[in-house]
Amino acid sequence: MEPVITLQDVSKEFKVLKRREGLKGSIKDLFSQDYKMVHAVNHISMEIGQGEIVGYLGPNGAGKSTTIKMMTGVLEPTGGEIRVNGIVPYQKRSQNAQNIGVVFGQRSQLWWALPVVESFRILKDIYCVSDEDYNSMLELYGTMIDLEELLHKPVRQMSLGQRTLCDILAAFLHNPGVVFLDEPTIGLDVAMKAKIRELIKLLNKEKKTTVILTTHDMGDVDALCQRIVIIDKGSMLYDNDIQHLTEMFGAYRTLRLRLTGKEEQTDEASLKVLAQTIQAELQEKWKDSNAFQVSPNEEQIEILIDEEKIPMMHVLDEVQLKHKIYDMHLDEISTESVIRKIYEGGVA
């Protein structure tokens, strides 16, 4: 089957002025020719098939948004070739826009003062959706969520979660081949995140829509993505399924320790200092700093351990010598920890 999205050796460079500080510097910049080239995306290639949900991940500034903008036709690549649904997005922007949907975090595509149903009708006309298809989509939405209480409510009166929910429905309304979701659950509570993840899964399953998800919430990745692509500094680091990713780090375990009593108040700064202290103590014992990584997490200390280098019990014994342990828990390495290791160069 022909892939829905194809990127072949795609690169994007920006010409950026080297700016000076102060008023005099700003005046000089008006006449300056001192530019530098920024490589936002470096020779990325991948194929995405129909119905896939792909997590497109990376730290801030990695090149995710630049790649998405090239796939939506907003930017033209400096080099390489992109095809979405068989067309070159930046050459046929209007045609491409007809067959994609986009949700950008907290930026709503709905009309602020109008009820949601009026926004849906406007989008229906913009995308030339037939009455039959429009009514069919609303009927489908009604089987997934309680739509009636939302349809006649002005967008300005909605909570962030309700607005995000309706933005996702709007993105799927014209039955696009591809939907781009940029941080769809940012700022939402746990219950609403679960509801939105379930909605995305149902729409993907029902319509076989290809979904490209960019997020920093690993809960979204674990709940939705069969495959993840990780980039950093514009270059691709990983492209495979999550199971393969965790198998690459099969020797890693996460040791969670609570080192303060329930009656003790531990602020974030104190916990960070405690984590740094334990990191230094372990590093003094074992010189290989890649064998473990200590970090604070809420009221606990997390120690990520590579058991091929140091047995977990040895690390626990060392911590017990200098700190009182009130509670402990041992986990397999999480998706979030794996991805953090990749950002730090854990895949070589």
Side-chain angles (χ1 to χ4, degrees):
M1 185 182 291
E2 189 86 12
V4 174
I5 298 174
T6 304
L7 280 74
Q8 292 182 350
D9 203 30
V10 172
S11 298
K12 181 63 181 177
E13 298 175 349
F14 293 101
K15 192 178 180 181
V16 179
L17 179 67
K18 291 183 179 178
R19 296 192 177 276
R20 301 173 178 87
E21 294 182 4
L23 179 59
K24 288 184 179 179
S26 298
I27 295 171
K28 288 179 181 178
D29 286 342
L30 294 174
F31 308 98
S32 174
Q33 298 295 316
D34 188 12
Y35 289 91
K36 65 178 179 179
M37 297 303 296
V38 176
H39 301 277
V41 176
N42 295 319
H43 306 288
I44 286 181
S45 298
M46 62 178 168
E47 292 184 348
I48 299 173
Q50 182 180 11
E52 281 194 87
I53 302 182
V54 178
Y56 195 54
L57 313 178
N60 293 328
K64 302 187 301 296
S65 295
T66 302
T67 314
I68 296 296
K69 286 175 183 176
M70 288 190 287
M71 287 193 278
T72 56
V74 175
L75 292 177
E76 180 178 348
T78 307
E81 183 181 357
I82 300 178
R83 289 192 175 273
V84 178
N85 296 302
I87 66 172
V88 179
Y90 57 88
Q91 290 179 352
K92 299 181 179 179
R93 285 187 61 181
S94 296
Q95 187 180 341
N96 184 59
Q98 285 288 327
N99 203 31
I100 64 172
V102 182
V103 176
F104 284 113
Q106 297 181 15
R107 300 178 197 169
S108 181
Q109 63 181 312
L110 305 172
W111 278 258
W112 188 247
L114 297 180
V116 170
V117 68
E118 297 300 334
S119 291
F120 282 1
R121 285 172 181 156
I122 293 170
L123 291 169
K124 168 184 176 292
D125 292 338
I126 289 174
Y127 288 104
C128 303
V129 180
S130 68
D131 291 341
E132 183 181 353
D133 290 341
Y134 175 75
N135 292 329
S136 174
M137 285 301 290
L138 289 188
E139 187 177 333
L140 175 64
Y141 291 167
T143 64
M144 295 177 177
I145 62 169
D146 186 2
L147 192 61
E148 277 304 312
E149 69 166 327
L150 297 176
L151 277 180
H152 303 288
K153 192 174 184 179
V155 174
R156 59 184 168 78
Q157 295 179 6
M158 290 183 167
S159 67
L160 175 60
Q162 289 174 326
R163 198 161 66 241
T164 303
L165 201 66
C166 291
D167 263 312
I168 290 171
L169 296 177
F172 281 85
L173 187 66
H174 56 291
N175 197 20
V178 182
V179 171
F180 298 94
L181 302 177
D182 184 20
E183 297 280 2
T185 63
I186 188 170
L188 304 184
D189 60 46
V190 173
M192 186 54 77
K193 282 184 180 183
K195 194 171 186 178
I196 284 175
R197 289 165 186 164
E198 189 61 29
L199 176 64
I200 294 168
K201 279 197 289 189
L202 288 170
L203 288 168
N204 166 258
K205 182 179 179 181
E206 185 70 28
K207 292 295 180 178
K208 300 291 186 289
T209 308
T210 301
V211 177
I212 311 298
L213 172 71
T214 64
T215 182
H216 292 290
D217 188 331
M218 290 306 110
D220 291 346
V221 176
D222 286 327
L224 295 171
C225 302
Q226 302 102 10
R227 169 186 171 193
I228 60 174
V229 175
I230 301 174
I231 69 166
D232 190 16
K233 297 175 183 174
S235 299
M236 186 180 292
L237 301 182
Y238 179 87
D239 181 5
N240 212 316
D241 58 47
I242 292 180
Q243 184 179 355
H244 178 76
L245 185 69
T246 52
E247 285 172 357
M248 291 170 66
F249 291 86
Y252 281 85
R253 302 289 183 272
T254 302
L255 182 62
R256 305 181 194 277
L257 303 174
R258 187 164 60 82
L259 303 178
T260 56
K262 291 183 179 179
E263 69 284 351
E264 299 177 60
Q265 294 293 324
T266 306
D267 58 35
E268 188 176 336
S270 300
L271 204 63
K272 187 175 181 180
V273 170
L274 182 58
Q276 290 171 346
T277 300
I278 294 173
Q279 176 82 31
E281 291 168 352
L282 295 178
Q283 202 158 329
E284 187 177 348
K285 173 77 174 179
W286 294 285
K287 304 304 179 186
D288 186 355
S289 59
N290 292 323
F292 50 82
Q293 179 180 314
V294 186
S295 58
N297 185 0
E298 296 181 351
E299 296 182 350
Q300 296 180 324
I301 296 293
E302 286 189 359
I303 308 176
L304 183 63
I305 307 164
D306 183 353
E307 290 206 284
E308 284 188 350
K309 296 179 178 178
I310 303 172
M312 183 274 298
M313 288 303 300
H314 291 186
V315 175
L316 182 61
D317 289 342
E318 186 64 24
V319 174
Q320 283 187 115
L321 289 175
K322 298 177 181 177
H323 304 274
K324 185 175 180 180
I325 298 175
Y326 290 86
D327 194 13
M328 65 165 285
H329 190 74
L330 185 65
D331 290 331
E332 298 296 315
I333 189 169
S334 65
T335 306
E336 183 172 4
S337 297
V338 169
I339 290 172
R340 187 166 65 234
K341 290 293 291 181
I342 290 177
Y343 290 169
E344 294 166 357
V347 172

